[in-house]
Amino acid sequence: MIANYGYKDGSGEYYISIDTDKCLQCPVEQACTRACPKNMFEIITDDYDDQVAAIKQAHRRTLAYDCTACKPAGGYASLPCASACTAGAIKHSW
Amino acid sequence: MYTAGIDMGARSVKVVFLEELKVEGAPQLKWGVKKTHIMFPEDLDMDVAAEKAYTEALQLAGLAREAVGRVVATGAGRKQVKFAQDNVTEVSAGARGAVFMHPSARTVIDVGAEEGRGIKAAPDGKVVDFAGNEKCAAGAGAFAESMSRALQLSLKDFGEASLRSEKTIPMNAQCTVFAESEVVSLIHANTPKEDIAKAVLDAVASRVCAMARRVGIEEDVVLIGGMVHNPGFVRSLQGALGVDRVLLPDLPEYVGALGAALIAAEIH
Ligand code: SF4
Ligand code: SF4
């Protein structure tokens, strides 16, 4: 399943997408939970009883602000979360 | 044997009992035999309300507690349903219930009072992709409701009024507070009520549509949640999605509870 966490507001569309099928055989021992400086990822048991990564509820409305440190103005080369997840499960919409 | 799905909202509980019938050796699920919708006061604890509603639902359905093999809860208050053996999110329950009612549906749009979401579903009703909007209440029913109050129309008249308008008035505000002030300006400018109603419903539809686009719109599209009863919104949504038809389930409020009951039957 692709889970899109986030929102769209007047300034843009801010979603982090997690391809949770990839979490089923996570190659890096759920490194997303350790890589994010804001500690935004958690491992949940989803409705199909699978252990998958998710964005914590408290961050889902504030992604644009929470991720600014990793996304300096003028672009970014690699994000800690997406780089840590070698399975390529994490994508940002902005 | 029955299973039960309980959709525990902030103020109301919906219960669906699903009966599993054995037809020539193959299990076939039959639903719709028993369903109940109970409102409860705000000051009642949710776990107490859930227990009360379930007891009442069993009575109304003429079922003994032991006749129900498994209970699965869904909805915002699902974790408060202490007697449920399991709980699932509104996303999974909505998708499962919607695809059961309309097997051709691949995109499920759920517009409830407080939230809207787009879900892409597999033929078996499992969620493939979903997106909500954690921040914007302007993509949900409560926004339409408060705007109908501002126009001094019932929600029903509001939806019907919008059908009489062919005007497109764009609403640019992205949040309810600013959108409300846009509506007030339209009222002061003596804009006909039907045009304002259409502008509001178009705006809700366009926000919902943005979520559906995120998951990819694949036909058939089915709409669930309370906004199914608003024909003006259905027309606006159809226009925003650019599809020929939007399927509407007969009992849109029960789709989540039905989905939970189906999930209960599958893991039973
Ligand atoms: S998001 Fe990536 S790193 Fe995190 S659990 Fe899933 S596969 Fe592993
Ligand atoms: S961009 Fe940075 S702050 Fe945002 S989720 Fe990834 S690691 Fe965390």
Side-chain angles (χ1 to χ4, degrees), chain B residues 150-167:
Chain B
L151 289 178
Q152 295 174 325
L153 291 174
S154 71
L155 199 53
K156 185 171 175 285
D157 292 344
F158 183 74
E160 280 165 9
S162 89
L163 287 175
R164 293 194 294 275
S165 168
E166 290 302 331
K167 267 221 171 119

Side-chain angles (χ1 to χ4, degrees), chain B residues 23-40:
Chain B
V23 180
E24 289 168 10
Q28 183 185 313
L29 296 168
K30 188 184 169 196
W31 87 279
V33 273
K34 324 273 182 196
K35 60 183 190 327
T36 316
H37 183 176
I38 293 159
M39 301 293 291
F40 59 86

Side-chain angles (χ1 to χ4, degrees), chain A residues 2 7 15 19 27 48 50 60 72 77 91:
Chain A
I2 314 275
Y7 55 91
Y15 281 94
D19 182 346
Y48 307 112
D50 293 322
R60 293 180 192 170
K91 292 201 166 45

Side-chain angles (χ1 to χ4, degrees), chain A residues 2-87:
Chain A
I2 314 275
N4 293 278
Y5 297 102
Y7 55 91
K8 178 181 181 222
D9 67 13
S11 65
E13 223 173 301
Y14 305 99
Y15 281 94
I16 296 180
S17 306
I18 303 177
D19 182 346
T20 59
D21 291 345
K22 294 188 169 153
C23 301
L24 304 184
Q25 271 148 9
C26 177
V28 287
E29 293 175 343
Q30 302 166 336
C32 54
T33 55
R34 298 182 296 277
C36 174
K38 293 267 181 174
N39 197 18
M40 281 161 56
F41 288 82
E42 64 180 344
I43 302 297
I44 58 161
T45 304
D46 73 4
D47 289 342
Y48 307 112
D49 282 336
D50 293 322
Q51 298 279 306
V52 301
I55 300 293
K56 290 179 185 169
Q57 188 78 44
H59 293 281
R60 293 180 192 170
R61 301 168 58 126
T62 49
L63 294 183
Y65 309 101
D66 293 335
C67 294
T68 43
C70 295
K71 299 187 178 199
Y76 55 88
S78 64
L79 302 174
C81 51
S83 308
C85 177
T86 55

